Amino acid sequence: MALSAKLQLRQSQSLVMTPQLMQSIKLLQMTHGELAQFIDDEVERNPLLSLGEPDDGSAKANERRSQETAGAEPEPQDRARDEEWLSSDLEIDTGSIADKLDTSLENVFPDDPGAQNSLTPELQSQWKSAPSGSVDSGGGSVSLDAIAAAKTTLRDHVGEQIAFTIRGAANLIIAGELADCLDEAGYMRGDCAEIAGRLGVELHQVEAVLMDCQTFDPAGLFARNLNECLAIQLADRDRMDPAMKALIDNLSLLAKRDFASLKRICGVDEEDLVDMLSEIRALDPKPGSAFTSATAVDIVPDVTVLPAADGSWSVELNAAALPRVLTNQTYYQRVSKTVDSEKDRKFLDDCLQDANWLTRSLDQRAKTILKVSVEIVRQQDAFLVHGISQLKPLTLKAVADAIEMHESTVSRVTANKYMITPRGVFELRYFFTAAISASDDGDAHSSASVRHKIKELIDDEAPDAVLSDYDLVDILSKSNINIARRTIAKYREAMNIPSSVQRRREKRTMMAAGRQ
């Protein structure tokens, strides 16, 4: 066969992922917070975009709140005095303050002139590089709002106690290094030997400073593990007797609920062991968590489901979760008449195109979320009426086929979207569960409803008749639920429910303590 070059004309179809199409897909799977941030960035970049007022009644609420606060208007003389004070310049003699806050080694240790020479070169370097704490005397303004809004962190709380408790320049630097090794729970995650080598001091000196730091409030800070954290808190309450010490040293047996071994090791009876366990439960395993700076993120439901007058369900989009983005056509018409250069005109046309695309994409996103939510409510009507026991198994493909969309689109819509119903707020993904076959070839059961059934059976079991995994298999089979023992064990462990052996030990101990 001869080879030769020739031209051929073919016609074919292909799906091209344009930048706008890719951005539309990203918009579909964005959370409410991510979408709000994206829109703010687009409004800042595009002069033809603007944010409209929400339709959720927030404007009326703000007006009502302003009317309520209007009744608390200050007296005219008080308002005049406040305005005069606010309009005046806040002058601070920062020079004198800086003189009083001089933190050189000579002023910190006036009674010990040789204190500076006693420091190792590493510690002297650490001390000199530390912030002096002096007030800025360069005429900078003091932000009262920033001071009022600042939250006390764990590092600040510990730093105050270090300043009042630790003595000696070397010990202060060691305590600062130990404080830098604290995690959010208040545990000291550093290695004392490594800190001693880095600072050029003896290991026993670091451990001695650590012992002093472990006396800080709240009790349990600077512990190196859970055992030490609980021991510090018990010692602070004067409850660290030999029996309690034996219990703390054998927390692994407590996790296994091996109460018989604990009674033998601690040398106590069942009543004393129950009292000791109550004291352990009253302790705080994470003493530093009270100072965490993390803030809870409020969930804004995307869909609202309410009972309708005809007995069905009313599914609506939450207006508070719908951003109103407007394209300023008037501004475009006015500016386009004054544009002369081709570059500026192209920029203006691109802004108009992007603005129109964004508004259409947001509208399409809202319609898609509503369409998927309506189908979910239709499929899970029994759940909304009777609760989790009637939750049906549901797959993404079933919803996609019902609304004639691609499965990947449904997957993006249900990710990080929430629905508020009379039974609470649920993520859309909550309604998609695996199916567990029925024993009589009937309708399959949802894995979530089966887990709920297992939890109910275990909660209702008698202390003298603890149900094993095999017993649960037999009980569920009578309810036409065909499930294997290993599946029950997997569900039980996922719900942090102990085995039947551990539950039996715990219930017997509680019963014996109750009889005594």
Side-chain angles (χ1 to χ4, degrees):
M1 180 178 180
L3 298 177
S4 60
K6 57 183 178 179
L7 296 177
Q8 288 185 343
L9 185 62
R10 294 182 179 180
Q11 189 177 21
S12 62
Q13 292 181 343
S14 63
L15 179 62
V16 179
M17 294 288 289
T18 63
Q20 290 186 345
L21 180 59
M22 294 176 64
Q23 192 63 61
S24 298
I25 295 175
K26 291 182 179 180
L27 281 178
L28 197 60
Q29 59 189 8
M30 282 183 180
T31 63
H32 173 71
E34 294 172 346
L35 181 62
Q37 182 63 44
F38 173 78
I39 291 176
D40 289 342
D41 295 340
E42 288 296 314
V43 170
E44 183 178 358
R45 184 187 63 85
N46 194 332
L48 299 181
L49 283 175
S50 62
L51 291 176
E53 292 294 333
D55 294 333
D56 59 345
S58 59
K60 295 182 179 179
N62 293 333
E63 181 181 357
R64 183 172 61 255
R65 283 193 293 270
S66 63
Q67 293 175 354
E68 292 174 355
T69 56
E73 188 175 357
E75 295 295 331
Q77 60 270 21
D78 296 336
R79 184 169 63 249
R81 184 176 63 252
D82 294 341
E83 291 177 354
E84 180 182 358
W85 181 84
L86 290 174
S87 60
S88 62
D89 295 333
L90 185 61
E91 297 181 356
I92 300 177
D93 188 3
T94 56
S96 60
I97 297 178
D99 294 338
K100 295 178 181 179
L101 294 180
D102 186 7
T103 54
S104 62
L105 289 177
E106 292 80 0
N107 292 335
V108 174
F109 305 102
D111 299 333
D112 187 6
Q116 183 174 3
N117 296 330
S118 65
L119 298 179
T120 63
E122 292 83 356
L123 292 178
Q124 291 186 23
S125 176
Q126 290 277 350
W127 182 273
K128 293 177 181 178
S129 62
S132 63
S134 59
V135 177
D136 181 17
S137 58
S141 60
V142 180
S143 176
L144 299 180
D145 292 338
I147 296 175
K151 295 183 179 179
T152 301
T153 63
L154 177 60
R155 186 64 175 83
D156 296 336
H157 179 73
V158 170
E160 293 176 358
Q161 300 185 71
I162 289 176
F164 286 101
T165 306
I166 307 300
R167 294 291 179 265
N171 292 339
L172 282 172
I173 297 175
I174 294 173
E177 288 289 325
L178 294 175
D180 291 337
C181 296
L182 289 177
D183 63 6
E184 293 183 354
Y187 288 84
M188 206 284 291
R189 298 304 184 185
D191 182 68
C192 292
E194 190 271 335
I195 294 175
R198 186 170 67 251
L199 298 180
V201 296
E202 297 294 333
L203 176 60
H204 66 83
Q205 186 176 1
V206 177
E207 293 176 343
V209 175
L210 178 61
M211 293 292 292
D212 292 337
C213 293
Q214 289 178 350
T215 62
F216 290 171
D217 179 73
L221 292 179
F222 287 92
R224 286 162 288 189
N225 49 57
L226 178 60
N227 300 55
E228 191 174 33
C229 179
L230 300 181
I232 294 173
Q233 297 181 53
L234 290 170
D236 182 70
R237 301 183 181 190
D238 196 20
R239 281 293 296 122
M240 189 52 120
D241 51 28
M244 189 65 78
K245 185 178 184 304
L247 178 60
I248 294 299
D249 293 338
N250 294 274
L251 289 181
S252 58
L253 296 178
L254 179 59
K256 297 177 181 178
R257 289 173 169 80
D258 190 355
F259 301 115
S261 300
L262 287 175
K263 287 189 296 182
R264 184 180 66 258
I265 294 173
C266 299
V268 296
D269 55 15
E270 291 183 352
E271 183 178 4
D272 290 337
L273 182 61
V274 172
D275 292 340
M276 294 166 64
L277 296 180
S278 300
E279 294 184 35
I280 294 295
R281 292 191 182 98
L283 303 179
D284 187 3
K286 297 180 179 180
S289 58
F291 300 92
T292 180
S293 59
T295 56
V297 179
D298 294 334
I299 293 178
V300 180
D302 299 88
V303 182
T304 302
V305 179
L306 295 173
D310 58 354
S312 61
W313 298 99
S314 173
V315 184
E316 299 178 355
L317 292 173
N318 183 12
L322 292 177
R324 296 195 62 198
V325 180
L326 306 177
T327 303
N328 196 336
Q329 296 284 355
T330 304
Y331 179 73
Y332 170 77
Q333 295 294 339
R334 184 171 68 251
V335 174
S336 60
K337 297 178 181 179
T338 61
V339 172
D340 297 330
S341 65
E342 186 65 25
K343 180 180 179 181
D344 294 341
R345 182 173 298 278
K346 184 178 184 305
F347 170 77
L348 196 61
D349 292 341
D350 290 342
C351 289
L352 179 62
Q353 182 180 0
D354 292 342
N356 292 332
W357 162 81
L358 181 59
T359 53
R360 288 195 303 267
S361 297
L362 292 175
D363 181 66
Q364 184 62 36
R365 176 183 183 271
K367 291 180 180 178
T368 305
I369 293 176
L370 181 61
K371 195 172 184 179
V372 173
S373 301
V374 168
E375 180 61 25
I376 291 176
V377 171
R378 189 187 70 81
Q379 297 269 10
Q380 300 292 358
D381 175 74
F383 164 78
L384 297 175
V385 176
H386 302 288
I388 191 173
S389 60
Q390 298 297 321
L391 185 66
K392 296 180 180 179
L394 187 63
T395 61
L396 296 173
K397 188 176 186 306
V399 174
D401 294 341
I403 62 178
E404 298 180 351
M405 285 187 177
H406 197 273
E407 186 176 350
S408 62
T409 303
V410 178
S411 177
R412 294 186 178 95
V413 169
T414 56
N416 300 316
K417 309 296 189 304
Y418 294 88
M419 174 188 296
I420 183 170
T421 70
R423 294 197 170 273
V425 179
F426 301 93
E427 188 180 4
L428 296 185
R429 285 285 178 92
Y430 174 82
F431 299 98
F432 296 89
T433 58
I436 296 179
S437 60
S439 302
D440 55 356
D441 296 333
D443 294 337
H445 302 271
S446 168
S447 59
S449 63
V450 173
R451 285 196 297 268
H452 179 70
K453 181 68 174 178
I454 293 173
K455 187 177 185 303
E456 284 185 334
L457 292 173
I458 293 178
D459 291 341
D460 296 339
E461 65 185 2
D464 55 348
V466 177
L467 301 174
S468 66
D469 293 345
Y470 289 104
D471 296 333
L472 294 173
V473 171
D474 296 336
I475 295 174
L476 292 176
S477 63
K478 295 177 182 178
S479 301
N480 296 326
I481 300 176
N482 185 18
I483 187 172
R485 185 205 63 82
R486 62 181 179 274
T487 306
I488 289 182
K490 181 180 68 174
Y491 289 167
R492 177 175 50 76
E493 292 174 358
M495 293 184 289
N496 294 323
I497 297 177
S499 64
S500 58
V501 176
Q502 295 173 336
R503 299 200 308 274
R504 186 178 295 108
R505 290 172 179 171
E506 183 176 2
K507 292 179 182 296
R508 286 179 179 176
T509 302
M510 297 301 178
M511 287 182 59
R515 288 195 299 268
Q516 296 176 1

